[in-house]
Amino acid sequence: MNKRNQTVTEFLLLGFPNVTGFRTIILFIVILVIYIVTLIINAMVIVLVSIKSQLHSPMYFFLQQLSFVEFTFLTVVVPNMLRVIWLEGATISVSGCIAQAYVYCALGCTECHLLTVMSYDRYLAICQPLHYSTIMDTRIQNFLVIYCWVFGFLLTQITLNFLCQLYFCGSNIINHFFCDLAPFLQLTCSHKIDFQLMILIVAIPLMVIPFILVLISYSYVFITIIGISSAKGRKKTFSTCSSHLTVVTMYYGTLITIYMVPANGDTLTVNKLIAFLYIVVTPLFNPIIYCLRNQEMRAVMEKLIIVKDTQ
């Protein structure tokens, strides 16, 4: 890290300064319960896809990877977030804050590419059904997953290199519950224009292009569905991708809103609320959406519950 004029050695995360006293305890308990439930549900998806033969297909393999990403994502952010809330503000070292921001961004980018791969999988299954099993074999599945992880972490390394070159010589207060990229722009004494330009450039292959590819995939999917003659056939085909489409909409909707809403003034509270939904709530709803809207996953869950009841 650049030590030139470096007077700040740690940051103070304020969390939710307007939430104090008894409300702090309530907020802490609510987030802790959501955190534990989300970990359990995502872990259940990971285990079920591994042990149940009827779930050994590309779609569920990618869903398993998505659950693992979100399991890791929560572990990186939420435990320290709970500490900040409980203490009504807590310190974190500059290097620790940068590390959290890097892993947070890398996992977010990995999820972007994984959702793109899942969109491509739905495109092949619906638009190219005769060639689906040939194209989406085990080798291609593994390659695509490795690509998502490696590309997400390696390209985000550029952001990490820039972060390590920043120096901080003024305020050390971050009005947030975790280390996002925006606070670094507010607190750094380095040239902000270079950092902003770097973020815009890196965001193109990490987030913008995957989003465009998702739109293209589902454009072809919708065209194919519209071309199906029977209403029953259209409904059945659409049901195979409706869960993923819902997850993609939630993910990109909150992500785009976070980085389009300026993190200053009165909008900071809105920004933190949206970030809270993106970090805490979305990982809970994603596996629930797949379990409730997908017949095969729902059937496996029902059989598991029935077996437990009979025992």
Side-chain angles (χ1 to χ4, degrees), residues 108-109 111-116 119 206-215 244 246-258 278 282:
C109 295
E111 185 164 350
C112 279
H113 284 263
L114 191 55
L115 289 173
T116 305
S119 299
L206 285 179
M207 295 183 183
V208 177
I209 293 178
F211 181 61
I212 292 174
L213 292 176
V214 168
L215 293 178
H244 180 252
T246 304
V247 169
V248 167
T249 303
M250 288 176 55
Y251 179 83
Y252 278 104
T254 53
L255 186 64
I256 291 172
T257 306
I258 287 173
Y278 170 69
T282 300

Side-chain angles (χ1 to χ4, degrees), residues 12-277:
L12 174 63
L13 293 168
L14 296 182
F16 299 92
N18 295 329
V19 180
T20 58
F22 182 71
R23 290 186 299 173
T24 299
I25 299 175
I26 297 299
L27 180 62
F28 179 88
I29 293 174
V30 169
I31 294 176
L32 179 61
V33 170
I34 293 175
Y35 174 58
I36 294 173
V37 171
T38 306
L39 290 183
I40 292 174
I41 294 176
N42 278 288
M44 187 179 300
V45 171
I46 294 171
V47 173
L48 286 177
V49 173
S50 298
I51 64 176
K52 296 297 182 179
S53 58
Q54 60 265 49
L55 300 180
H56 290 175
S57 67
M59 181 176 70
Y60 295 112
F61 174 69
F62 295 134
L63 173 60
Q64 181 187 51
Q65 294 298 315
L66 180 65
S67 292
F68 183 72
V69 170
E70 293 186 333
F71 188 99
T72 310
F73 186 84
L74 282 168
T75 306
V76 169
V77 178
V78 177
N80 189 64
M81 174 185 174
L82 289 170
R83 182 176 72 94
V84 171
I85 292 172
W86 182 258
L87 298 176
E88 297 185 9
T91 58
I92 183 172
S93 66
V94 173
S95 58
C97 200
I98 290 175
Q100 186 185 59
Y102 166 69
V103 178
Y104 161 79
C105 291
L107 289 172
C109 295
T110 300
E111 185 164 350
C112 279
H113 284 263
L114 191 55
L115 289 173
T116 305
V117 167
M118 295 173 76
S119 299
Y120 175 65
D121 174 72
R122 291 301 83 205
Y123 159 76
L124 288 178
I126 295 172
C127 302
Q128 305 287 337
L130 297 179
H131 304 286
Y132 176 66
S133 58
T134 304
I135 297 175
M136 194 58 71
D137 58 14
T138 303
R139 182 178 61 86
I140 293 298
Q141 293 174 45
N142 293 330
F143 170 79
L144 290 173
V145 167
I146 293 172
Y147 155 78
C148 291
W149 283 94
V150 173
F151 191 81
F153 274 82
L154 282 184
L155 199 54
T156 312
Q157 182 74 32
I158 299 174
T159 305
L160 177 63
N161 293 338
F162 267 83
L163 288 175
C164 291
Q165 294 302 315
L166 298 178
Y167 60 94
F168 306 91
C169 55
S171 173
N172 72 328
I173 298 176
I174 297 178
N175 190 4
H176 216 311
F177 52 81
F178 79 109
C179 296
D180 199 359
L181 292 179
F184 290 105
L185 288 177
Q186 295 176 344
L187 300 180
T188 183
C189 300
S190 305
H191 295 294
K192 297 180 181 181
I193 300 299
D194 294 340
F195 189 50
Q196 290 173 324
L197 181 61
M198 179 275 303
I199 292 176
L200 289 175
I201 294 174
V202 172
I204 293 174
L206 285 179
M207 295 183 183
V208 177
I209 293 178
F211 181 61
I212 292 174
L213 292 176
V214 168
L215 293 178
I216 293 173
S217 296
Y218 273 106
S219 296
Y220 281 104
V221 168
F222 288 144
I223 291 172
T224 302
I225 292 175
I226 292 173
I228 298 175
S229 57
S230 67
K232 184 178 180 181
R234 286 194 297 269
K235 182 178 180 181
K236 182 178 179 181
T237 304
F238 181 74
S239 67
T240 63
C241 63
S242 59
S243 299
H244 180 252
L245 185 59
T246 304
V247 169
V248 167
T249 303
M250 288 176 55
Y251 179 83
Y252 278 104
T254 53
L255 186 64
I256 291 172
T257 306
I258 287 173
Y259 293 105
M260 286 186 67
V261 175
N264 53 63
D266 296 334
T267 60
L268 183 58
T269 302
V270 177
N271 188 278
K272 285 200 290 186
L273 177 60
I274 298 171
F276 174 80
L277 294 174

